[in-house]
Each structure stands twice: as structure tokens, then as C-alpha cells.
Amino acid sequence: MAQKGYDFSTPLRRVMIAVLGLALLALFLFWRIDSPRAEAMRAEFIDRFVPRFEWAMAPVTRISRMATSLQSYARIYEQNQELRRELQRMHAWKEAAVQLEEQNAKLLAQNNVRLDPALTSVSGMVMADSGTAFRQSVLLNVGARDGVLDGWAVMDGLGLVGRISGLGQQTSRVILLTDPSSRIPVTIQPSGENALLVGDNTALPLLDFIERPENVRAGDRIISSGDGGVFPPGLLVGQAALATDGRMRTRMAADYGRLEFLRVLRSHPAERVADTGALILPPPEGLIGPQRPAAPPPRPEHDAPQSADETAPLPEITAPAPDAGEPAQPPVSGT
């Protein structure tokens, strides 16, 4: 019976696996050695062998680039779909805004409302935000060359932001309403209470000096009162909010976290009337009515005559001239 040949493949395979494992372990230990000489040997090894394997890494690099491109395409597609949905919503808002504008124009025409033509605006972009722990302000890219004046009110798309404080030829600084140095008079609606909006370097400025705090409720609308002539009246500031300490604060209508584009209002001070006497003029004498002699004042009772000797004599009554042919009548004197 013939003997079968000895199989050397299995032991050889085991030896090769063991040698490969030892080589990888040695390479790992060599790569982990923290030594200048080992670092130099590693750099030499990389410079000599890695560039030769660039052809082997080309497919992997190309596949990774394709995966990155596919991910970028998927993100662009999602953004495109989101922009389409937002555009549809904006179309709906546009139609609503056009209808409201037409309705507003009709109401203004019916009530004969005359708007202030001087209340126009200059738009500018926020260049820098210099908000610190002690000062809240932003820098705009419009200045004196654009006709901006110091003290003008500044708004974003919805609410009042602050006022111009510091002016250059091409830039201007805006002090925000949250700045500790900001104090503006406001009116709380619908109660009509007057108050002072005091900036305290927080997102919710304080409402101070309220005339009757019991008439103010959370959610009431706050607008500028126009007192002092700094801000035009009727500008939206925000809503009243009750803080945890029980004090009334203001939830600002402007988005202070995203101040990108602002509008500077060309608000000119109202004309002051210096001559108060010119407000109400005395009517002309011809409009009072027919002139009548003034009646004598009533004579008091204690001034009445006490006797006949004190009685004033009556005036003489002269008869009119007689016509021709009639005898003249003698004058009659009072007795």
C-alpha cells in the first residue's frame, strides 16, 4: 500500500502567518518609539516607499472624492428644495403684503391722513459689532457723505434699534437701546402710560418711571413717545414683559442677534411755536355783533336817595320844531 506524500503547505502557512505577525508587531513598536533616531528612520522610510505607492492610492483617493462630491450634491439638493419651499412661502407673504398695502392705502385715503414726507431712510450694512460688557454699539457703512446726522433714529426691518452717536464721512456709530447710557421716553399701549426705557446691558431693557404700573400688562405694545425730540413718535420698540424679579422689562422687536442691515431715519425735529399769543387771536369787533351801549352798573340799595331834596333833577325835554302855521309850544321843564 503506497504511502501518501507529506503535506508541507499547512506548516508553511502557519510559519508565514507568524512571521508576518511578528513583522507587524515590530513595525508597530518601531512606529511608537519616541526617539529622534527612530523619527529620522520613519521619515526616511516614508520618503522612500510611500511615493512609489501613489498609483495604488489613486483609486482610493478618487473614490473618496466621488463620495465627497455625492455628499455635497445631496446637501445642495436639500438646500435647493428648502429654498423652493421658502420661495413659495415668500410668494404667499408677498400677496398678503400687497393686499395689506392696498387696504392701508384705502384707509389712509378715506381718513385723509397726511404722512410726513421728511421721514425717509438711508439703509446701511453693519460693518462691526463693538458690543462689550460696558458698551453696546455697532458700526454702519453710511456717514456724513450720505446725509446722515448725529442723533437720528436707527431701525432694522421691524423695530427700533438705537440712534446715531458718532459720525464720520463714510461710517457712523449706532448706540443700541440696550446700552447702559441709553434712556428714551416710550408710551405703553393700549393704556397710554408713559415710561422710560433704560438700557442695562441685557437683552431685556428695563421699563422705569411708569406713571401707573397697575395699568401695564405683559404683552402690551411699546412705542416711542417722541418726547424730547430725539426719536419720532410711534416707532415700534417691543412688548412689555414681566421679569422674575417682578419688574417690567421690554422684549425688543428688533433682532439684536442678527443685525446685518439697518435703516437710518431722516427724522427732523418738529417746528416749535415761539409766539404762544398767535395761537388764539381775539375776534374782530365787527364779528361780535351790533354795537350796544354798555349798561350802567346796578346801583346798590344803600346808595338810594333818602329824601326828596337828594333826588337828581330831571333833564329838560325839548319839543320838536313845529310845522308852519302851528303855534309854538313852550318848553316843559321837570319839577
Side-chain angles (χ1 to χ4, degrees):
M1 186 174 183
Q3 293 182 353
K4 294 182 178 180
Y6 186 74
D7 188 7
F8 294 96
S9 60
T10 301
L12 186 60
R13 188 183 300 114
R14 293 176 181 175
V15 171
M16 292 296 293
I17 292 174
V19 172
L20 181 60
L22 291 176
L24 293 176
L25 181 61
L27 181 61
F28 175 76
L29 294 177
F30 172 72
W31 215 264
R32 297 292 297 178
I33 295 175
D34 189 8
S35 173
R37 182 177 298 178
E39 183 66 26
M41 294 177 65
R42 287 194 293 266
E44 183 68 21
F45 178 81
I46 292 174
D47 292 340
R48 177 172 296 183
F49 292 101
V50 171
R52 297 181 181 181
F53 288 94
E54 186 177 356
W55 59 271
M57 297 298 296
V60 179
T61 305
R62 183 169 296 179
I63 291 174
S64 63
R65 289 179 179 176
M66 291 177 61
T68 305
S69 300
L70 289 176
Q71 292 177 357
S72 177
Y73 176 78
R75 288 195 299 268
I76 291 175
Y77 180 77
E78 293 177 358
Q79 292 178 359
N80 189 15
Q81 295 299 321
E82 180 65 24
L83 289 175
R84 288 178 181 273
R85 290 190 292 267
E86 186 175 356
L87 184 61
Q88 292 178 356
R89 291 193 296 267
M90 292 300 294
H91 280 303
W93 281 107
K94 181 181 178 181
E95 294 297 331
V98 170
Q99 294 178 3
L100 290 176
E101 185 178 3
E102 293 178 354
Q103 184 179 4
N104 188 27
K106 291 179 180 178
L107 292 175
L108 291 177
Q110 290 177 0
N111 293 290
N112 295 324
V113 177
R114 183 177 180 273
L115 300 178
D116 187 3
L119 200 60
T120 57
S121 62
V122 178
S123 298
M125 185 176 64
V126 176
M127 300 175 57
D129 185 357
S130 60
T132 62
F134 304 99
R135 189 173 180 86
Q136 296 286 334
S137 63
V138 295
L139 196 65
L140 290 181
N141 63 343
V142 291
R145 67 174 184 179
D146 303 297
V148 178
L149 297 181
D150 198 5
W152 279 1
V154 180
M155 300 184 66
D156 70 344
L158 184 59
L160 187 63
V161 172
R163 61 181 176 85
I164 299 293
S165 177
L167 194 63
Q169 290 296 323
Q170 301 179 4
T171 58
S172 58
R173 184 172 299 279
V174 180
I175 295 296
L176 304 181
L177 299 183
T178 55
D179 187 85
S181 62
S182 176
R183 304 285 191 278
I184 67 167
V186 295
T187 301
I188 305 173
Q189 294 179 344
S191 62
E193 298 293 333
N194 293 324
L196 194 67
L197 182 67
V198 180
D200 55 356
N201 214 10
T202 63
L204 301 174
L206 182 65
L207 280 176
D208 206 355
F209 300 104
I210 304 177
E211 296 179 353
R212 290 182 291 272
E214 63 275 6
N215 295 337
V216 180
R217 300 289 184 271
D220 288 352
R221 192 167 179 260
I222 301 175
I223 61 174
S224 60
S225 64
D227 296 338
V230 178
F231 292 97
L235 300 181
L236 178 62
V237 177
Q239 291 181 343
L242 185 62
T244 55
D245 56 357
R247 306 182 70 180
M248 276 296 175
R249 293 186 173 269
T250 305
R251 183 177 291 107
M252 308 302 293
D255 189 359
Y256 280 77
R258 298 180 180 179
L259 295 179
E260 297 180 1
F261 298 95
L262 299 179
R263 293 187 300 124
V264 182
L265 300 182
R266 291 192 180 99
S267 54
H268 301 282
E271 182 180 358
R272 299 182 180 274
V273 180
D275 187 8
T276 57
L279 292 177
I280 302 177
L281 297 176
E285 296 181 356
L287 300 179
I288 298 178
Q291 298 293 327
R292 297 180 180 178
R299 190 172 184 179
E301 296 179 356
H302 63 273
D303 292 340
Q306 300 297 329
S307 61
D309 297 337
E310 298 179 0
T311 303
L314 295 176
E316 296 182 356
I317 301 176
T318 304
D323 294 338
E326 294 183 1
Q329 299 293 334
V332 181
S333 58
T335 57

